[in-house]
Amino acid sequence: MNQGEIGVQRAIKLKELKDQVIVITGASSGIGLVTARMAAAKGAKLVLAARNEAALKELTEELREAGHEAVYVRADVGIEEDVNMIAETALKSFGRFDTWVNNAGVSIYGKAMDVSYQDMKRLFATNYWGVVYGSRVTVHHFRERRIPGALINIGSVFGDKGTLVQSTYASSKFAIHGWTESLRMEMDREKAPVSITLIHPGRVDTPYNEHARSYLVHQPVHKGMIYPPEAVAEAILYAASHPKRDIYVGSQAKMLQLLGANFPSLTDKFWEGISPRTQYDEKRKSNSPEESNLYHAGYGMHERGTNLGWKRKRSMFVKAAKHPVLTRVIVAGICVWAVLKIK
């Protein structure tokens, strides 16, 4: 594993979590909810944003009762004015923010030729434009303050390799990956005081499948090896205080990226064979379109979903990203051992 894989970035000194104000979008469930609780436990002040105001209020009260500082903003990240309102709330409440996490996202399960243009555009409003709005607000803020901060965008394994059944979601994540890399290069060239990290999660056990707009007969789920939302939250919070280019959550995310880049046709055939049946539960009828969170808030305060398979307790790739030198030593040791065994 080389430096590019680990994700080493231009040296920028970031604050410790206990000294930070962190903005989290999509904070009412799943990864955002877990990240909020974990960040609060580490002493960070929080600005929580989502469309589900009732869930945000409940979470904020929970954190305050535990002695943490938090405020919330009901906001739709697909609307630029709402994203600006999130930043304004952070400034009014705390005078600044030190990390902005673009986490809010929605998905659509359906064949590429079946999903309506209206649904596609709505998904891109949240997944892509929400990240663009949040990124630009963040960069403007750090430029004005001239104090380094972190921008963390949540990508996906499907932003590195396309997929069947979730073509619209994958396309939005490809767009996020391209936006993040391009923005990072521009900021690096002008030596702007911002650390930009792209998180690449594999399949994560959140209510993502329950919230998705479904064109399927059977209920969308993740099947196979699934990672806990805590692993993604760990990656996010590490990047908030340690500049990183990329962090992969789960070996499946990195391996699919490597296979797709080096053996594209073979990977396509492999994925065509196994992917569709790992994305739905044939024993359950799919939720109705009205139950999805594509156009309105989904239910909140749930960290996990109704996914099936081997639910991991952690991601070793995240652990490796936090200890790159140790990882290289271990890999080198394994290589030496293998050479000696061959001899």
Side-chain angles (χ1 to χ4, degrees):
M1 190 176 294
N2 59 38
Q3 284 194 342
E5 290 171 325
I6 292 291
V8 175
Q9 189 170 303
R10 173 169 57 93
I12 292 177
K13 186 170 179 56
L14 300 173
K15 295 179 180 179
E16 294 182 26
L17 290 176
K18 65 181 179 63
D19 300 320
Q20 288 203 28
V21 175
I22 300 178
V23 175
I24 303 172
T25 69
S28 61
S29 68
I31 292 169
L33 175 59
V34 172
T35 303
R37 286 169 167 161
M38 191 179 293
K42 292 180 180 295
K45 301 177 179 67
L46 300 176
V47 180
L48 309 171
R51 292 175 295 174
N52 188 328
E53 186 169 9
L56 287 175
K57 183 178 180 181
E58 181 180 345
L59 175 59
T60 302
E61 290 175 352
E62 170 196 314
L63 297 178
R64 288 175 176 173
E65 288 175 4
H68 308 301
E69 294 186 63
V71 296
Y72 74 85
V73 188
R74 182 192 178 280
D76 183 336
V77 298
I79 301 172
E80 184 180 4
E81 292 77 12
D82 281 17
V83 176
N84 291 337
M85 184 171 59
I86 299 170
E88 289 166 7
T89 301
L91 295 178
K92 289 178 182 177
S93 301
F94 302 111
R96 70 181 199 282
F97 58 86
D98 305 291
T99 293
W100 184 294
V101 183
N102 280 315
N103 167 71
V106 296
S107 188
I108 298 174
Y109 283 71
K111 293 181 180 179
M113 299 302 290
D114 292 343
V115 178
S116 73
Y117 293 137
Q118 180 181 349
D119 284 355
M120 288 183 178
K121 290 175 181 178
R122 176 58 212 180
L123 180 143
F124 263 80
T126 299
N127 289 17
Y128 176 69
W129 285 107
V131 169
V132 172
Y133 298 147
S135 297
R136 291 179 62 151
V137 163
T138 300
V139 168
H140 284 313
H141 179 64
F142 294 150
R143 276 173 167 171
E144 290 174 2
R145 290 182 66 215
R146 297 184 179 181
I147 298 174
L151 168 64
I152 302 171
N153 293 340
I154 309 303
S156 170
V157 59
F158 296 144
D160 292 313
K161 173 62 187 172
T163 189
L164 300 85
V165 184
Q166 292 189 76
S167 55
T168 307
Y169 175 79
S171 300
S172 72
K173 290 299 184 176
F174 266 86
I176 289 170
H177 288 206
W179 163 259
T180 304
E181 290 194 2
S182 302
L183 180 64
R184 183 193 292 120
M185 286 190 288
E186 290 190 7
M187 293 302 100
D188 187 64
R189 191 165 187 264
E190 71 175 61
K191 294 181 170 53
V194 54
S195 168
I196 301 178
T197 301
L198 181 63
I199 307 292
H200 305 246
R203 288 173 166 170
V204 182
D205 186 19
T206 69
Y208 162 97
N209 61 306
E210 296 286 348
H211 289 165
R213 165 69 168 97
S214 175
Y215 283 73
L216 306 181
V217 174
H218 301 296
Q219 175 61 26
V221 295
H222 289 323
K223 284 184 181 178
M225 186 163 60
I226 308 166
Y227 290 87
E230 287 83 359
V232 187
E234 181 182 5
I236 290 169
L237 295 182
Y238 186 74
S241 55
H242 301 80
K244 290 289 181 181
R245 176 188 175 91
D246 302 272
I247 301 181
Y248 289 83
V249 182
S251 57
Q252 61 186 208
K254 186 59 184 175
M255 292 308 297
L256 195 58
Q257 183 267 327
L258 285 173
L259 289 171
N262 293 284
F263 309 100
S265 296
L266 181 63
T267 306
D268 283 353
K269 293 298 182 184
F270 166 74
W271 203 236
E272 288 167 19
I274 70 168
S275 173
R277 66 176 182 270
T278 67
Q279 299 191 63
Y280 62 86
D281 179 3
E282 60 278 356
K283 295 181 180 179
R284 297 167 58 197
K285 185 177 179 181
S286 180
N287 288 342
S288 68
E290 293 73 27
E291 294 176 84
S292 80
N293 71 349
L294 187 60
Y295 293 96
H296 56 77
Y299 63 85
M301 298 303 289
H302 286 71
E303 294 184 350
R304 286 172 167 74
T306 57
N307 300 293
L308 305 172
W310 177 27
K311 298 181 180 180
R312 300 289 303 276
K313 294 182 178 180
R314 63 186 65 85
S315 165
M316 295 309 298
F317 261 74
V318 174
K319 302 296 183 186
K322 294 170 67 174
H323 304 285
V325 175
L326 178 60
T327 299
R328 287 196 291 273
V329 169
I330 292 172
V331 170
I334 292 173
C335 291
V336 170
W337 175 82
V339 170
L340 293 175
K341 290 292 288 184
I342 291 173
K343 289 181 178 181

